[in-house]
Structures are given as C-alpha cells and as structure tokens.
C-alpha cells in the first residue's frame, strides 16, 4: 500500500540552528500539505502545494520558515533560525487520484529545539 | 474563521462499552468532515470521511454522523477494545474544492481499560 514518507522521524536541534524536513507524497498525488501539531492540539496547516505551486501559506511564519516542491513531487520544509516555540510534530499529507478528497498523512517528524 | 471543538477532551471507559465522541464546527459551509485516529507519537490514520451531502458513514464498529445545519458530528464506537485507545481528531474541509485545507479540533484522548 502506498504511503507518505517523511524524514527524519526525530530531530533535536539547538536554538538558532537551521533544520530541514523532507516529505515524499504518494505517487501521483498533486496536492501536498505541511501541518504543524503542538503537543495536545490538533494539526494546523502551514503550507499547501498544488503541483509545484503554493496555494496557501497564510499560516507560514515566512520570516523563518520556507517550503519548496521544485518538481512537483517531493517537498522540503526549512526553519532558519529555529526557536524554542518551534518544538512540535511536523506532519506531511498528500491527496489526489480519481476522487482526490481524502488526505493521507505521513508518520511525522518530531522536532525538539533546545 | 472556522473553529472546531471536540468534547470531551479525554474519556476513560471499561472494555466493551459503547461510546460517543462529539465534534462541533462554527461554519456550516463545509465540503466534508473527516475523523482521524492518532497513536502517541505517530501520524494520523483516516477512519471515516463524510461528504457534506451525506448524513453518516460506517466502518466496522465505527459510525460517524453529520448534521451540517447544526454544525455537529459524532463518532460512535461500539463494543470498545483496549486497542481503540488513541487520540481521535475530527477535521472539516472548507471551500468549494476537494483540495482545500483541513481545520482540526484539538482531539479527544480515549483510554479503554481491560
């Protein structure tokens, strides 16, 4: 069964350092989402791609966060510099195919900023 | 702005009990509603998806209902088992497309004890 892949699964970094997360969506899925989930809360959308174009980044802190999906397949989310408040689970999801309305989530990357 | 609320925040029940989890949303103009399960430290697994034109969906021991006009959904779990212990999240998709972002509730932490 096809799955969304994410790496790394866990990341510990010091404040002010740069960190990057990678996501490989299900093959053929045109829409890719990055969510941030703070402990005890539901996920919140950071950025949404349709193919290689950003369609929603209204909640992305653009002074420190960036995201790209250059060839419309896999994607990278970067934080520079990391702050203590960035500690969270970063989830990637994709949707597409014939019906296209169900989102499939990856296992997430747990980020701890010290 | 769409807001999603889940009640209760936590629930502990003995094995075999039937239970109901509640979800409410402030804007009834939704495209669909999705229930997810999340195990500790893991990604999200989709349980049920209800389109805005539907009233309920069933999968095994799970039944989800949707009352769009009142902004409510319930997830009914029959004959609960210890393996059902997890966080349950509901999410609504707004906008007129199937690729819109999900807005999540904060989740209900379910514990089923033997």
């Amino acid at each position: 069964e096809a799955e969304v892949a994410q790496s790394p699964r866990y990341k510990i970094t010091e404040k002010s350092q740069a960190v990057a997360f990678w996501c490989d969506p299900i093959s053929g899925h045109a829409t890719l989402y990055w969510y941030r989930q703070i402990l005890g809360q539901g996920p919140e959308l950071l950025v949404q791609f349709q193919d290689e174009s950003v369609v929603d980044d209204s909640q992305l802190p653009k002074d420190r966060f960036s995201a790209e999906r250059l060839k419309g397949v896999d994607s990278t989310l970067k934080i520079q510099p990391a702050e203590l408040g960035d500690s969270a689970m970063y989830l990637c999801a994709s949707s597409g195919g014939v019906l296209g309305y169900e989102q499939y989530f990856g296992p997430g990357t747990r980020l701890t900023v010290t | 702005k769409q807001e999603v609320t889940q009640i209760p925040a936590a629930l502990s029940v003995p094995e075999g009990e039937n239970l109901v989890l509640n979800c409410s949303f402030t804007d009834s103009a939704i495209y669909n509603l999705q229930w997810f399960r999340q195990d500790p430290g893991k990604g999200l697994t989709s349980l049920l998806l209800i389109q805005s034109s539907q009233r309920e969906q069933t999968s095994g021991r799970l039944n989800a209902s949707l009352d769009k006009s009142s902004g409510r959904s319930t997830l009914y779990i029959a004959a609960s088992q210890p393996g059902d212990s997890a966080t349950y999240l509901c999410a609504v998709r707004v906008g007129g497309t199937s690729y819109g972002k999900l807005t999540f509730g904060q989740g209900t932490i379910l514990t089923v004890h033997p």
Side-chain angles (χ1 to χ4, degrees):
Chain A
E1 183 175 302
E3 295 181 341
V4 176
Q6 289 188 248
S7 68
R9 293 292 310 278
Y10 305 93
K11 180 70 178 180
I12 300 174
T13 191
E14 294 183 347
K15 186 175 60 173
S16 79
Q17 295 297 303
V19 64
F21 314 130
W22 176 81
C23 172
D24 191 13
I26 293 172
S27 178
H29 279 191
T31 311
L32 185 147
Y33 312 79
W34 283 102
Y35 290 87
R36 177 171 61 183
Q37 185 178 25
I38 296 171
L39 191 64
Q41 299 182 18
E44 180 181 40
L45 181 73
L46 291 175
V47 61
Q48 177 183 342
F49 290 92
Q50 187 68 26
D51 298 310
E52 64 274 12
S53 300
V54 173
V55 296
D56 187 346
D57 63 356
S58 57
Q59 299 302 310
L60 187 72
K62 299 180 186 64
D63 56 335
R64 297 185 301 107
F65 286 63
S66 64
E68 61 182 15
R69 192 184 184 199
L70 293 176
K71 297 182 180 179
V73 180
D74 58 339
S75 176
T76 302
L77 178 69
K78 297 179 181 177
I79 308 174
Q80 183 173 16
E83 297 181 352
L84 295 177
D86 297 331
S87 295
M89 175 78 88
Y90 290 82
L91 295 162
C92 179
S94 70
S95 64
V98 177
L99 296 177
Y101 44 66
E102 189 161 359
Q103 290 187 22
Y104 296 86
F105 282 76
T109 296
R110 168 69 68 187
L111 173 66
T112 302
V113 182
T114 61
Chain B
K1 178 184 174 184
Q2 178 74 267
E3 293 184 359
V4 181
T5 302
Q6 292 187 244
I7 296 173
L11 182 63
S12 180
V13 300
E15 181 177 6
E17 190 161 301
N18 302 326
L19 58 99
V20 175
L21 307 181
N22 297 290
C23 173
S24 62
F25 45 96
T26 55
D27 187 347
S28 61
I30 64 169
Y31 189 82
N32 56 40
L33 182 146
Q34 206 165 348
W35 282 94
F36 294 89
R37 168 186 173 138
Q38 186 175 32
D39 292 294
K42 301 293 179 65
L44 278 62
T45 301
S46 179
L47 298 173
L48 290 164
L49 184 149
I50 309 176
Q51 298 288 17
S52 61
S53 58
Q54 297 176 321
R55 294 301 300 268
E56 66 177 340
Q57 283 286 334
T58 298
S59 176
R61 295 182 294 107
L62 305 180
N63 176 277
S65 67
L66 174 64
D67 184 343
K68 201 174 75 159
S69 61
S70 68
R72 296 176 186 273
S73 176
T74 62
L75 179 66
Y76 175 84
I77 302 177
S80 59
Q81 304 171 357
D84 295 330
S85 298
T87 298
Y88 291 79
L89 294 153
C90 77
V92 297
R93 178 174 285 105
V94 298
T97 72
S98 61
Y99 302 102
K101 71 176 186 181
L102 292 173
T103 299
F104 284 84
Q106 78 278 21
T108 293
I109 302 171
L110 174 65
T111 303
V112 182
H113 47 89

